[in-house]
Amino acid sequence: MGIARSLCGLAMCVALAPQVAHAAPVTIHLAGDSTMAEKLPEKRPETGWGEFLAAQFKPGTVTVDNRAKNGRSTRTFIEESRWQALLDATKPDDVVLIQFGHNDESVEKPDRYTPPADYARNLERFVHDVRARGATPVLLTPVARRRFDDAGRLLDSHGEYPAIVRALAARERVALVDLQRRSEAVLQESGADASMRLFLWLAPGANANYPNGVQDNTHFSPGGAQRIAEEFASALRGTDLPLKQSLKP
């Protein structure tokens, strides 16, 4: 009888004990261009840095929803309803990373070009839309292209567009990850020759997707994409975003 009573008491204690709550993974939505996007098989080994984002976090703490797409600017991302689709999937407490600029600045490509004033307005709209959903926007400057002068100095390739992102982040008090400056530092440290391995440089015959070879100074190799994802994680640690608590040590 005493044993039965003890077992019953133990069962009640277990039943009444507070259940340990496991936090649901934070969804990170990615809005951006080819430097961030997941690639089609026929584009490999071209790789977007967003493909290595989840690996920067502790297992089970984040879910990455990568909606970045090759060739898109802020204008075409809106026109093709990609932005609305992202918003429709966004819940309170989600995080939205916003990185555009490569295609917005392409004045020679009218199908995607976005003048600076429109670029600023589109980014501001993105920020306000995300906040209206109860989610957190994060602005990112565009990553650097691999362009060196004859003296081995890295050349700027984005003009006034990164400054627009920085100014908006300051004005709207939005978290900023300055990937332009971080990627520039990586390229300058690597140098003109060694930095080729970070990008899609292949000799003729080295890959079936590029039988004639390729020398691409915009899109990343897998190693380059991983390095940029690591730079993002390093920058995130310097923000006050709660998301940084989920990063791997």
Side-chain angles (χ1 to χ4, degrees), residues 31 36 83 96-100 123 126-127 130 137-141:
M36 178 188 261
W83 179 248
V96 182
L97 307 186
I98 304 165
Q99 182 203 276
F100 290 94
L123 289 178
F126 291 168
V127 167
V130 171
V138 181
L139 289 171
L140 286 67
T141 52

Side-chain angles (χ1 to χ4, degrees), residues 50-71:
E51 298 184 78
F52 283 93
L53 180 60
Q56 308 309 308
F57 294 88
K58 299 170 189 173
T61 60
V62 304
T63 298
V64 175
D65 174 28
N66 192 346
R67 294 173 183 261
K69 195 76 173 177
N70 282 36

Side-chain angles (χ1 to χ4, degrees), residues 99-110:
Q99 182 203 276
F100 290 94
H102 275 79
N103 298 300
D104 295 82
E105 70 190 35
S106 298
V107 65
E108 75 283 0
K109 298 179 180 179

Side-chain angles (χ1 to χ4, degrees), residues 35 45-49 143-144 198-200 218-222 224-225 228:
T35 60
E46 180 183 325
T47 309
W49 72 263
V143 292
L198 301 174
F199 289 84
L200 191 64
T218 296
H219 300 107
F220 297 116
S221 66
I228 297 301

